[in-house]
Amino acid sequence: MAIAITYSAFGGPEVLVATDLTPPAPDAGELAVRVEAAGVNPLDHKLRSGARASGEITAPRRVGSDGAGVVTAVGAGVEGYRPGDAVVIFGAAGVYATDVVVTPAQVTPRPPQVPAAVGAAVGIPFATAYQTLRSLAVTAGDTLLVHGGSGAVGQAVIQFSALWGVTVIATTSDRRADRARALGALPVAYGPGLADRVRALAPQGVTAAIDIAGTDEAIGASLDLVADRRRIATLVRGKDADALGIRAFLGGSPRPLGPQEQAWRAEAVPVAVNLLAAGRFSVEIGRELPLTDAAEAHRLVEAGVDGKVVLVP
């Protein structure tokens, strides 16, 4: 039997249960993948708790969109993959499982230099970072302020930006400053006087800002430092974006992503995987837990943990 993590009612982590399932078989245009690791994202616990609207639950609902594993079967009409191929999974459904069926658009080849746990950590963080940077047209010569630089999305923002020749200033705690610095950012402590500290680091001025922290301080400093409000984006305070004249992606944004934004998200994953394989990017893994400890994984992510939490079947 296959195992998947499901929930039948919104609630705390305790609603997550391991459910026995018949191993899935791919239909035409699909692949079956044996999951070796599943990435745990904040979106997962927001959907489970009902904090992010997702409709009425009428049947047990599965969890997780990111993972890595090995192809076990290929449906008719699928080209480019065969059983035994290692892949990264992104944008799928129900990846907290031993086995999952996906489409070719939801996987990318995983080179042997990328362990399953690292591949499982790529999806949402790197796709969100890449798409946000592209949407703001961040490029060489820009000076970017990122609030929340030590989290998974923040670390991805720093790495893409540094690769492109962008000067990156990242807010972080003193304890996490070395991680931001190692990835290519100038770390700056959050707290009173933030805007002045950023000005001291960037006398040339700040040309773009990304809020991943969601605090009033992050929004206020961004508005104070960046002249063009269309080059400020929040990933957390979407409901406030229109009133502030800034942009919002995910995080409660009233507008869905457009076709170009979706295309950037899909483009990000193979780009990041190849950079990881080349040793030019890195992923910070915080904890690896058994698949059946999904509830504990959600508790850790909700409480805040350094590095990515990964479930291993």
Side-chain angles (χ1 to χ4, degrees):
M1 295 294 288
I3 296 173
I5 301 302
T6 66
Y7 59 98
S8 297
F10 298 119
E14 69 278 358
V15 302
L16 298 175
V17 296
T19 303
D20 291 333
L21 302 171
T22 301
D27 288 332
E30 296 178 334
L31 305 90
V33 177
R34 173 63 53 86
V35 178
E36 295 180 318
V40 180
N41 292 297
L43 176 62
D44 302 342
H45 69 71
K46 292 174 184 176
L47 290 168
R48 181 219 73 224
S49 68
R52 178 71 63 87
S54 60
E56 181 184 1
I57 298 176
T58 58
R61 185 172 290 179
R62 292 177 60 172
V63 194
S65 61
D66 295 342
V70 175
V71 175
T72 56
V74 177
V78 173
E79 298 181 355
Y81 293 98
R82 61 184 180 181
D85 285 348
V87 294
V88 167
I89 306 165
F90 59 97
V95 185
Y96 290 16
T98 57
D99 301 87
V100 68
V101 168
V102 297
T103 68
Q106 294 169 328
V107 294
T108 195
R110 176 166 55 91
Q113 302 92 332
V114 179
V118 171
V122 171
I124 284 180
F126 282 87
T128 300
Y130 187 91
Q131 173 262 304
T132 304
L133 289 164
R134 291 301 194 198
S135 295
L136 295 179
V138 174
T139 189
D142 272 316
T143 297
L144 171 71
L145 173 62
V146 55
H147 301 276
S150 63
V153 176
Q155 292 189 30
V157 166
I158 292 169
Q159 291 181 88
F160 278 126
S161 299
L163 179 71
W164 299 340
V166 175
T167 298
V168 191
I169 300 171
T171 68
T172 180
S173 66
D174 290 341
R175 184 177 61 82
R176 298 286 284 159
D178 285 346
R179 177 62 182 170
R181 186 180 293 108
L183 296 176
L186 299 170
V188 61
Y190 48 74
L194 172 60
D196 289 338
R197 289 192 294 278
V198 173
R199 288 190 183 96
L201 287 172
Q204 73 277 17
V206 176
T207 55
I210 298 174
D211 164 42
I212 315 172
T215 62
D216 289 343
E217 175 187 72
I219 296 294
S222 298
L223 293 172
D224 191 15
L225 293 163
V226 180
D228 183 357
R229 292 194 175 193
R230 300 303 296 166
R231 300 199 76 200
I232 302 172
T234 179
L235 305 182
V236 186
R237 298 273 293 272
K239 61 183 176 60
D240 301 322
D242 284 348
L244 294 168
I246 65 175
R247 303 175 72 179
F249 306 110
L250 307 178
S253 172
R255 286 177 291 277
L257 296 175
Q260 179 60 76
E261 292 159 337
Q262 295 283 9
W264 279 325
R265 293 182 71 84
E267 180 179 295
V269 176
V271 169
V273 169
N274 288 331
L275 288 164
L276 286 163
R280 300 180 67 187
F281 273 13
S282 71
V283 165
E284 182 184 25
I285 301 298
R287 294 282 300 277
E288 294 186 36
L289 299 174
L291 176 65
T292 51
D293 283 352
E296 177 61 17
H298 276 211
R299 291 186 186 98
L300 287 170
V301 173
E302 289 184 72
V305 62
D306 293 347
K308 189 76 174 182
V309 176
V310 175
L311 293 170
V312 180

